[in-house]
Amino acid sequence: MNNTHTHKWLKPQHILGACLAMLMSFSAASKDHKIILIHGLQVSQITNKSGSDVVNDGETYWQSYWNNRADERIDWPAYERVEGKIATDWVWPKLKQLSRSNLCAEGCVLVTHSTGDLIARHIIDNQANWLENAGLTPLNIVATFDLAGAGGGSELADVAVSALTGASWNFAIDAALRWWLGSDVTEAVGVLHDLKVNNARKISPFPDARTPRLRFVADGNEYLGITGAFLKGNDDSVVASHSSCGASSARSFGSCSSSIDTDGRLKSQSDAVNSFMPNHYPMMMSDSYSHNEIHNAQRKGNVTIAMNNINVDGQNVGFNTFDQTTGSWFWKKNYRYIKNSNTTSASALIYNVIP
């Protein structure tokens, strides 16, 4: 009997599983700062409010890469409003739990995707005051890493709310909304209103905390390019560059950098963002990723930088880059890429520089 049990526990698949579990646990624990995830818009929660499992949806959202590398998540339902029940019923209980556990005593980094950027801004602006008034210690949030951030809103939300409330509709709008939201969305609810460009930019626009917000910008096509027709300037098929770069105004921009295009080409950018929201630092840009690919592990492709070497809690956050020249004479073009980006997912590159 004992020999049988010994043989069972020594099966290769059990050993491999145990080793992988140990490696994944060490991966999160090896960072100087704890990682807290905040997901983006989950359309299924709008179409099926009563049947939504918010916590399970939150776990599924990050399963491709980040789940096993993070220490905590802040989940929230898309059918509620940011300054309403998202804050009171979901964010606030989590903040109390995090404070009581002292998870962020040595510092936490928020990793957000899409609308999670807007949730994070509201947290940064209010968490210290909320927790102090409750007799609790504020969280030591040292930075946010915002992937395809929608903190500046999305013109698609303006179109969606207008169409779903009956204010405007045409075949182009219908096609765009079917690709973005799906055909089951029949009413404008919850966070769709918060994602309207003007509304998003009014939510906690100037937090007292000077938390650096590092931006990671996608510029690839999705949905056959249909949704891009409604977005200002360059876009990732869901949010425009004014939002993902962290621009102080909602205008048409082509790049987060005045000297580098989103595809890495070193060239003066006349349509670049020239003014940013407080403490917003666009770092990574890439036309290899679309909105829904940048937080996953499957996609790989060359990425470039807009800004580099940002101070986070006394530590330098930056990427190693290399320059590449193609063509000659009149056809000569110079590019700058982050090393190993063509063989490493954007999420892995981002995780590797979290201090």
Side-chain angles (χ1 to χ4, degrees):
M1 179 68 74
N2 288 339
N3 288 337
T4 302
H5 281 290
T6 300
H7 178 71
K8 174 183 177 181
W9 287 109
L10 289 178
K11 285 183 177 180
Q13 60 265 38
H14 289 103
I15 296 174
L16 177 60
C19 290
L20 286 174
M22 290 174 64
L23 285 172
M24 289 187 293
S25 298
F26 175 77
S27 180
S30 65
K31 292 292 183 181
D32 292 341
H33 300 95
K34 303 299 184 181
I35 297 174
I36 301 174
L37 306 175
I38 308 179
H39 63 74
L41 172 67
Q42 306 226 44
V43 175
S44 62
Q45 295 174 350
I46 295 177
T47 60
N48 187 26
K49 176 180 176 180
S50 61
S52 295
D53 184 334
V54 176
V55 174
N56 186 63
D57 289 347
E59 181 176 6
T60 302
Y61 194 96
W62 298 103
Q63 66 183 0
S64 172
Y65 182 84
W66 287 95
N67 255 346
N68 295 322
R69 294 167 174 83
D71 301 277
E72 264 291 1
R73 295 194 322 270
I74 297 177
D75 303 321
W76 56 274
Y79 49 78
E80 301 293 359
R81 302 293 297 271
V82 173
E83 296 177 302
K85 289 189 176 181
I86 291 176
T88 60
D89 293 5
W90 293 89
V91 171
W92 173 231
K94 196 68 174 184
L95 294 180
K96 289 189 288 186
Q97 173 195 322
L98 293 170
S99 176
R100 288 167 176 152
S101 70
N102 292 316
L103 180 72
C104 298
E106 300 301 320
C108 278
V109 170
L110 305 182
V111 173
T112 79
H113 177 247
S114 190
T115 313
D117 169 23
L118 189 57
I119 307 292
R121 193 167 77 220
H122 194 51
I123 291 173
I124 290 168
D125 192 29
N126 293 286
Q127 63 94 11
N129 184 52
W130 290 345
L131 290 167
E132 285 175 348
N133 287 340
L136 296 170
T137 302
L139 306 184
N140 179 20
I141 301 173
V142 300
T144 72
F145 283 55
D146 303 305
L147 286 59
S154 171
E155 289 81 3
L156 289 180
D158 291 77
V159 172
V161 171
S162 180
L164 294 172
T165 55
S168 66
W169 181 91
N170 60 44
F171 289 106
I173 289 175
D174 184 61
L177 295 185
R178 281 176 177 271
W179 278 106
W180 180 40
L181 298 177
S183 59
D184 295 331
V185 177
T186 58
E187 59 178 333
V189 299
V191 81
L192 283 181
H193 293 278
D194 295 318
L195 280 173
K196 293 176 64 177
V197 172
N198 287 337
N199 289 350
R201 289 179 171 272
K202 291 176 183 176
I203 295 176
S204 302
F206 304 107
D208 289 334
R210 298 181 179 179
T211 306
R213 309 213 60 193
L214 281 53
R215 320 291 290 179
F216 303 89
V217 178
D219 188 26
N221 283 327
E222 197 172 358
Y223 311 129
L224 303 179
I226 294 173
T227 55
F230 298 94
L231 297 164
K232 291 183 178 180
N234 283 28
D235 64 85
D236 62 16
S237 298
V238 175
V239 297
S241 54
H242 71 78
S243 181
S244 54
C245 292
S248 59
S249 61
R251 292 163 43 203
S252 296
F253 298 110
S255 175
C256 305
S257 168
S258 61
S259 59
I260 308 177
D261 202 352
T262 56
D263 66 354
R265 187 178 179 188
L266 299 172
K267 182 182 178 182
S268 177
Q269 305 294 309
S270 60
D271 58 354
V273 178
N274 53 20
S275 177
F276 296 93
M277 297 177 71
N279 306 303
H280 282 54
Y281 305 99
M283 295 193 70
M284 177 189 291
M285 302 186 296
S286 179
D287 65 354
S288 298
Y289 294 86
S290 65
H291 186 81
N292 292 314
E293 292 173 331
I294 195 168
H295 73 296
N296 292 323
Q298 292 88 349
R299 181 74 173 169
K300 298 177 179 65
N302 283 325
V303 301
T304 189
I305 59 168
M307 300 180 184
N308 208 7
N309 301 314
I310 307 300
N311 184 288
V312 172
D313 198 31
Q315 299 184 54
N316 179 71
V317 173
F319 295 94
N320 293 321
T321 64
F322 69 96
D323 291 352
Q324 178 177 300
T325 300
T326 63
S328 59
W329 296 94
F330 297 109
W331 298 273
K332 185 177 181 180
K333 296 179 181 179
N334 298 312
Y335 292 86
R336 179 165 296 155
Y337 299 123
I338 293 175
K339 286 185 177 180
N340 302 318
S341 60
N342 63 327
T343 58
T344 307
S345 71
S347 281
L349 292 169
I350 293 166
Y351 174 77
N352 287 340
V353 299
I354 293 177

